[in-house]
Amino acid sequence: MKRYTLFLLPLVAVALMWLSSCASHPTVPSSCKDTQCQPAIFPDYCDVTVPCNIAPLNFMLPTDEYQACVARFSMPDGQQQTYGDGVKVQIPESEWHAMLDASKGKSIKVEVWGQKGDEWLSFTPFEIHIAEEPIDEYLSYRLIEPSYVAWNYMEIVQRNLTSFEESQIFNNEITSVDREVGQCINCHSYQNYKTDNMLFHVRLSNSGTVIVNDGKVSKINLKRDVTAFGGAYPAWHPTAKLIAFSSNKTRQAFHTSNANKIEVYDEISDLILYDVEADSVSVICDDPELLEVYPAWSPDGKYLYYCKTIPLPEELRDKDIRSTYSYLQYNLYRRSFNLATRAFGEEELVYDAASVNKSATLPRVSPDGRNLLFAEGQYGCFHSRHRDADIVCMPLDKGCVVTQEESLPDTIQGRERPQLFDLSLLNSKDESDSYPTWSSNGRWIMCASRRLDGTYSRVYLSYFKNGKAEKAFLLPQEDPEVNTYLLKSYNRPEFMVEPVRISAREFSKVFEK
């Protein structure tokens, strides 16, 4: 009996592999009805441009309409492969990356068939364009409920973009000592996309800023004599151990009839500079009448970009901010920075959003220093909750733009006024698009968008080249249905070229000292 068992085991294994192969590589329907339209797949990957190293673009047909789905992928060299399991198309990672390698700089043709009742339907083929430029291998994000009013569990997570591997950086249960107060973790940030120098904040219970300096972990308190509050919204200098923060007194309001649902605003907001090596804090700017927020360095470290409010009309200046928040509008500014002396220059207006009744926030300069990415809505500084918010990109290589008002001259202060880039295929039509950021090679734009349901932020990616963003696509998931049932928002997505290698338990040790 043992001999027969040993003989049969390899055959059983082969049979199981064959059955698995048949299940993942189904046969194309022999007869079908042509719908003469593209398939309504989720996520929508029709005619997108993707990195040459991205994880499989798994998708599905609507479960309430179809019973089965078959997809055939055709490579430029003539090779073909079919996939389908129920209404879902899930591609093994090794096979997908082989298809990407064979199609780099070209396109993969995708044909889809769907079974509705007893009938098979065929759809108009679409293409997936494979860019030659890769995307950074990792990104990180905070997973949090969208209400921001109460929470039990939140975590900062990192994801491998070339696969579906996801791991935890930190969570708020490890070091929270007061369950009634709770603990918030936020504002993860990295120097030059690397993780040997990074940070995140821990607020409320057991609060502090956790900083990694050349791989060594410590916890600091950014509240000093020169600051009214601690630090928020960090930006690492690209070459020096310096971090710009805003120092804020932030408040929330919850609407009962407004479509935006939640309002986040600052009563006080200044900019500060933290020297990691000296453990010292200095003030960058602290206008007593206006609010400064969201610092961002140029890639050469010679400029600090940030947002600043314009003065309110005189009749509103003494009013409660809860009645005037919708009048707050931010423009984009910058100051030169001398690394040797640590001195900042005079304030320069970069983009006058208020002149067109807009408010600009969250600036990010491209890695080559030529373009400025930011979020823009009608008012305020927290566009992730504003349905009218879009991502905007402007060139910097022709000098600063101070307005986009069409009636003004083509040159202002002796500088040519370039046009804004076309990001129409990146932005959604009527939901929030916020937290924009660049990949390290400047070819990919990432943002957090609520376009799926108006409530939960999801990560979207877009190829950017020659001043235009291509059609945005949803972060791929192993199970394409995950973004319909995951009851968490992806908050502050950040690119990384390497993973965080410090464990959550190691991070927690700094709270024990």
Side-chain angles (χ1 to χ4, degrees), residues 241-282:
K241 298 294 182 65
L242 301 171
I243 310 169
F245 294 90
S246 61
S247 183
N248 310 61
K249 182 180 180 181
T250 302
R251 294 290 181 262
Q252 297 180 95
F254 299 88
H255 300 295
T256 57
S257 59
N258 191 309
N260 287 331
K261 301 178 183 178
I262 298 173
E263 194 59 50
V264 180
Y265 56 88
D266 290 322
E267 293 181 349
I268 299 173
S269 185
D270 304 315
L271 296 184
I272 60 175
L273 184 68
Y274 177 65
D275 187 320
V276 177
E277 303 286 6
D279 186 31
S280 62
V281 174
S282 57

Side-chain angles (χ1 to χ4, degrees), residues 42-43 45 58 60 88 90 143 159 164 166 452-453 456 458 474-488 490:
F42 176 82
Y45 293 138
N58 295 337
M60 60 187 291
K88 297 179 180 179
Q90 295 173 279
L143 292 177
R159 160 75 189 272
F164 301 114
E166 188 179 73
L452 281 186
D453 53 25
Y456 292 96
R458 305 299 189 209
L474 187 62
L475 174 69
Q477 302 285 358
E478 186 170 18
D479 182 350
E481 203 171 5
V482 70
N483 279 318
T484 65
Y485 60 71
L486 178 65
L487 302 181
K488 295 276 189 176
Y490 290 74

Side-chain angles (χ1 to χ4, degrees), residues 36-99:
Q36 298 185 347
C37 65
Q38 287 189 335
I41 60 172
F42 176 82
D44 180 7
Y45 293 138
C46 296
D47 302 316
V48 296
T49 299
V50 303
C52 58
N53 60 337
I54 195 69
L57 300 189
N58 295 337
F59 60 83
M60 60 187 291
L61 287 173
T63 57
D64 58 345
E65 295 185 47
Y66 297 91
Q67 290 75 52
C69 176
V70 174
R72 181 166 61 195
F73 293 74
S74 300
M75 274 62 75
D77 60 3
Q79 295 187 63
Q80 294 183 329
Q81 192 55 274
T82 60
Y83 300 96
D85 185 2
V87 296
K88 297 179 180 179
V89 172
Q90 295 173 279
I91 310 168
E93 289 180 22
S94 59
E95 295 181 18
W96 171 255
H97 284 290
M99 286 195 283

Side-chain angles (χ1 to χ4, degrees), residues 12 15 44 48 77 163 184 269 322 348 386 388-389 411 428 435 500:
V12 171
D44 180 7
V48 296
D77 60 3
S163 68
C184 178
S269 185
R322 287 172 293 183
E348 297 179 64
H386 293 170
D388 68 327
T411 58
S428 61
Y435 291 113
V500 175

Side-chain angles (χ1 to χ4, degrees), residues 321-387:
I321 193 170
R322 287 172 293 183
S323 64
T324 63
Y325 68 86
S326 61
Y327 295 93
L328 287 175
Q329 293 181 320
Y330 290 74
N331 287 334
L332 296 181
Y333 297 84
R334 74 178 183 183
R335 292 174 183 266
S336 61
F337 179 67
N338 187 315
L339 180 58
T341 63
R342 307 290 173 88
F344 288 91
E346 294 297 316
E347 184 174 86
E348 297 179 64
L349 179 63
V350 175
Y351 179 79
D352 188 352
S355 67
V356 288
N357 196 31
K358 295 287 186 178
S359 182
T361 64
L362 296 164
R364 291 292 182 95
V365 184
S366 61
D368 61 8
R370 298 179 61 186
N371 303 312
L372 180 64
L373 196 65
F374 54 94
E376 184 178 65
Q378 186 177 347
Y379 66 89
C381 68
F382 207 77
H383 289 326
S384 69
R385 295 303 327 197
H386 293 170
R387 296 184 65 187

